[in-house]
Amino acid sequence: MSTPAATADQPVLRWKPNALSKEKDLKSATSAQFPTLKEALAAVDRGKGKNVVLLTRTPAGWATFEYVGSPACKVEFKELRPGGLPLGGNPLLPQTYIFDGKDRFARIVYSDHSGGPVEEINHGKNLTWLPRITLRPTLDELSAALAWVSQNLPTAKIKAGGSKHSWSRVAVSNDVYIEPDRMKLSRTMDEEPNVYRSGLGDRRGNLVRAGSGNTVKEMNRYLWEHGKPFPILGGYDGQTLGGVFPTGTHGSVFTRGPLAEMIVSVDLALADGNAVRIEPTLSITDPKALATERSDLRLIQDDDHFYAVLVNIGTMGVVHSYMLEVTDAFHMNEIRTCSTIPELKEKVREGKIYNLVGAPGKPADLENTPPRLSDGKDGGFKDQPLSAYHLEFLINPHSDKVVVTSRHPVAVTTTDDAALEFNPPGRDLVQNFRDLLSWGIDQIIKVAPGSTPGLIDSAMDTTIDDAYVDRSFNVFNVGDGTNQIPILAGTIYVPIASDDYLTALDLIRTAAAEFAKSRNRYETGPASMRFVKGTKAMLGCDVDVCSFEFIFTGNTAYALEMVEAYEAALKTGLGAGKVKVHWGQLVGEETKRGRDIRSTRGGG
């Protein structure tokens, strides 16, 4: 007989004896792993008593988990439909059973956590879809789930989802859809298996493994508690890492490209269930050590593979986890000031944007050198840092109004940091009244669409602030309340070189005016201009670009049409090769048909 092996963490088992009693967690007792079902059942039979046993299929065989039970813990049904239990090897017919102390047992049938059709809806509420099968594997179950699909549904198309914060159909699937909710992992380098090269030096302390199902918000807290943050973020923290990285999401720190550049190693599962680790040539993993520790994990250390996987729109497999390179903890000061389109164009034209953003150095080091603030006559924007760490412009396509936003590292004492939170403060109005605000704006726009530009100008005025100091991730974040308002957005990238992005600004404003004149319809939110460094990621932008993000309220039925009008105007004015899109946001019909792809050619 085989000796039972140790198992993974014990699942939580809750029991409710009757309709009037309270549900409670059963106390974990023992667990064991067996190579065959026969041996596992024999072990259950030998241990008959009052305890409860969960028996389930695992990639390595069969596992038993025992819980301290009582006479009240009775299995009186042939089938149960609980949630959150292991898949049990087969997502449609889970091989999982529960035994009570008198040898009665029930088989687990699929629930929301194991398969079956579940209608999905995205954050912007502009997309709904009904997959044939929805899988919610844990990281340990991911390869087995994909292998099962490959063997039993060989023609099925598999898509892995994220937090559904995408407005394009990039993650929509009518076939097999993988939810990332249970694919979470947070681990420092010291907690990793010993499979990495020696001599990593100071880098080692900044390397962290994170599951593809972790949200940015979850990682922000975990990292800060370990003295680290992400060096760059977008404005939303509800996205999963498996969604935010592959779509090329970015910030506006002009020394950096997309957020995916933080990745130094990717573990993913291929369609047949095989596991692969992809890294650049001569990267952090020691091939011999990995072969000894994880013979099931194929290592690819090749630049072409690595830069293909960074931004891949979900085409190269389902990501298990990432090894990320983060940075030392830092705080930032945000300054928001007013400007105009003519002033913006004058101060950034002919490459002068590079004088205003892109402060070199590590953020924690920049804290120790306060930046010089512009007097408005030295080429900078008045009261804004010269060469800020982060710089972006908020514009109204229907007026000359601009809000300049800079974010720059600033020193904060340990005592002052202790008073700070893990969510940005001062957003209570939006948080508590977001549905009313969204509804009110939509009603005004319907009744009096011509008032839209003035409403946007007024909203932009409320953002002006001469100082907001907080932990870095809070300053990057636009706020929980704002993030929860359903919106729609589309992003178009245009090269910085030759002032193409300033030509684009004029074309966008002209297109907005023509749309308003012909349709009496206006953009229902401000647009942003952010700056992104060129990247080696093959589906990223290989030249420095300005990112124009067009924001609409969630009920703007014509949002996609307006984004298409902007895209058409830019392609006509600049040439199609200079105009690229963000695949996770609103995407025009021409682009969806495959005539354009954001690639390393042409700056998109």
Side-chain angles (χ1 to χ4, degrees):
M1 178 179 293
S2 301
T3 302
T7 61
D9 292 341
Q10 192 142 334
V12 175
L13 192 62
R14 297 184 177 92
W15 210 277
K16 187 174 183 178
N18 55 63
L20 299 178
S21 62
K22 292 184 178 180
E23 183 181 275
K24 66 176 184 178
D25 292 357
L26 294 186
K27 183 179 180 181
S28 300
T30 61
S31 62
Q33 180 81 39
F34 300 88
T36 67
L37 175 60
K38 182 177 180 180
E39 290 178 277
L41 288 171
V44 172
D45 188 59
R46 289 194 303 272
K48 279 193 296 187
K50 68 178 182 179
N51 283 354
V52 176
V53 177
L54 169 67
L55 169 63
T56 186
R57 188 78 166 89
T58 70
W62 293 83
T64 60
F65 300 94
E66 189 172 356
Y67 304 80
V68 177
S70 71
C73 295
K74 297 178 180 178
V75 174
E76 298 177 343
F77 305 97
K78 293 181 179 179
E79 293 183 342
L80 298 175
R81 294 178 182 268
L85 288 172
L87 283 174
N90 183 330
L92 296 186
L93 189 62
Q95 296 167 281
T96 303
Y97 306 84
I98 289 182
F99 297 79
D100 68 11
K102 295 187 178 180
D103 209 23
R104 293 172 295 210
F105 73 95
R107 179 174 64 85
I108 306 300
V109 297
Y110 78 70
S111 67
D112 284 352
H113 286 271
S114 55
V118 179
E119 186 175 67
E120 307 283 356
I121 184 168
N122 70 331
H123 177 271
K125 303 186 187 303
N126 67 311
L127 295 171
T128 58
W129 64 99
L130 184 65
R132 177 161 58 126
I133 299 172
T134 298
L135 303 180
R136 292 175 175 83
T138 64
L139 290 174
D140 289 339
E141 298 161 347
L142 177 60
S143 287
L146 291 181
W148 183 90
V149 172
S150 176
Q151 293 163 11
N152 294 275
L153 303 169
T155 62
K157 293 182 179 180
I158 303 170
K159 281 193 177 181
S163 62
K164 304 181 184 70
H165 198 259
S166 170
W167 303 286
S168 79
R169 300 184 65 84
V170 67
V172 170
S173 173
N174 296 320
D175 214 334
V176 178
Y177 184 73
I178 296 181
E179 291 270 19
D181 309 44
R182 303 170 68 211
M183 294 163 54
K184 298 180 184 290
L185 171 68
S186 303
R187 203 158 60 199
T188 66
M189 193 66 155
D190 289 339
E191 298 168 318
E192 279 280 285
N194 187 22
V195 297
Y196 300 99
R197 298 180 189 274
S198 60
L200 292 176
D202 293 339
R203 287 189 70 196
R204 184 179 178 88
N206 286 334
L207 296 175
V208 177
R209 182 165 295 282
S212 62
N214 289 26
T215 64
V216 173
K217 186 182 184 73
E218 291 166 342
M219 288 305 300
N220 284 340
R221 186 178 193 112
Y222 175 82
L223 290 172
W224 195 264
E225 290 173 345
H226 288 77
K228 307 291 177 182
F230 291 121
I232 178 175
L233 285 171
Y236 180 62
D237 63 6
Q239 298 145 306
T240 62
L241 301 186
V244 75
F245 291 139
T247 54
T249 301
H250 56 85
S252 194
V253 175
F254 207 10
T255 55
R256 291 180 171 270
L259 271 59
E261 287 192 340
M262 290 185 280
I263 300 169
V264 296
S265 181
V266 184
D267 283 13
L268 55 82
L270 303 180
D272 60 4
N274 285 322
V276 178
R277 174 170 295 181
I278 301 178
E279 298 180 350
T281 305
L282 298 177
S283 188
I284 61 173
T285 299
D286 182 318
K288 291 183 179 179
L290 182 66
T292 301
E293 180 76 22
R294 288 285 309 276
S295 59
D296 63 312
L297 184 59
R298 177 188 172 200
L299 177 63
I300 300 175
Q301 291 182 321
D302 172 74
D303 285 349
D304 287 344
H305 283 81
F306 180 71
Y307 291 120
V309 81
L310 287 186
V311 178
N312 69 81
I313 327 173
T315 60
M316 294 183 67
V318 179
V319 175
H320 172 282
S321 59
Y322 298 99
M323 183 67 81
L324 305 173
E325 188 161 7
V326 294
T327 192
D328 294 330
F330 68 103
H331 302 77
M332 288 196 297
N333 180 32
E334 177 184 270
I335 301 173
R336 293 180 183 264
T337 57
C338 283
S339 183
T340 64
I341 293 292
E343 182 186 29
L344 183 158
K345 292 168 68 175
E346 173 59 30
K347 290 187 182 296
V348 303
R349 65 183 179 85
E350 297 177 351
K352 289 186 287 189
I353 182 63
Y354 290 97
N355 299 329
L356 303 180
V357 61
K362 296 179 180 179
D365 294 338
L366 292 174
E367 284 188 339
N368 302 317
T369 308
R372 180 168 69 87
L373 297 183
S374 171
D375 61 6
K377 301 176 183 179
D378 51 9
F381 292 93
K382 190 175 186 305
D383 298 326
Q384 290 285 0
L386 284 170
S387 194
Y389 182 68
H390 169 117
L391 181 71
E392 64 179 276
F393 303 119
L394 202 63
I395 65 170
N396 182 348
H398 304 288
S399 79
D400 278 346
K401 185 173 286 292
V402 175
V403 173
V404 182
T405 301
S406 68
R407 293 163 180 158
H408 198 82
V410 63
V412 171
T413 66
T414 303
T415 301
D416 288 342
D417 175 77
L420 301 176
E421 303 289 342
F422 284 97
N423 291 307
R427 312 297 173 101
D428 292 344
L429 178 64
V430 175
Q431 179 72 25
N432 294 333
F433 297 100
R434 61 180 181 270
D435 294 333
L436 179 61
L437 287 171
S438 182
W439 178 86
I441 292 170
D442 284 331
Q443 294 308 307
I444 293 171
I445 291 171
K446 286 180 182 178
V447 173
S451 66
T452 307
L455 286 174
I456 295 174
D457 278 351
S458 297
M460 290 169 65
D461 286 337
T462 67
T463 68
I464 303 303
D465 193 357
D466 60 359
Y468 163 46
V469 176
D470 208 328
R471 294 168 175 171
S472 56
F473 56 87
N474 279 338
V475 180
F476 282 126
N477 194 345
V478 299
D480 281 352
T482 303
N483 276 324
Q484 291 181 46
I485 295 176
I487 66 166
L488 301 171
T491 294
I492 298 176
Y493 302 93
V494 177
I496 298 291
S498 303
D499 284 347
D500 284 341
Y501 72 115
L502 295 182
T503 302
L505 178 58
D506 291 336
L507 292 168
I508 287 165
R509 285 159 52 81
T510 299
E514 291 175 351
F515 202 88
K517 182 178 179 180
S518 63
R519 300 280 304 278
N520 196 27
R521 293 290 182 267
Y522 300 80
E523 188 165 331
T524 52
S528 69
M529 295 173 63
R530 292 182 287 169
F531 302 95
V532 188
K533 196 74 176 171
T535 179
K536 293 181 180 180
M538 291 185 181
L539 289 187
C541 303
D542 73 328
V543 298
D544 298 351
V545 294
C546 177
S547 156
F548 290 90
E549 182 174 30
F550 308 102
I551 303 167
F552 304 84
T553 62
N555 289 325
T556 306
Y558 55 86
L560 179 57
E561 293 178 66
M562 200 162 187
V563 171
E564 289 177 325
Y566 289 147
E567 186 177 351
L570 292 173
K571 287 180 176 179
T572 299
L574 295 171
K578 292 185 176 181
V579 181
K580 308 300 174 182
V581 301
H582 188 311
W583 287 100
Q585 299 190 355
L586 295 174
V587 177
E589 289 300 322
E590 181 178 350
T591 301
K592 282 192 287 188
R593 286 195 296 269
R595 296 184 184 178
D596 295 306
I597 189 164
R598 188 152 56 91
S599 69
T600 55
R601 302 280 70 81

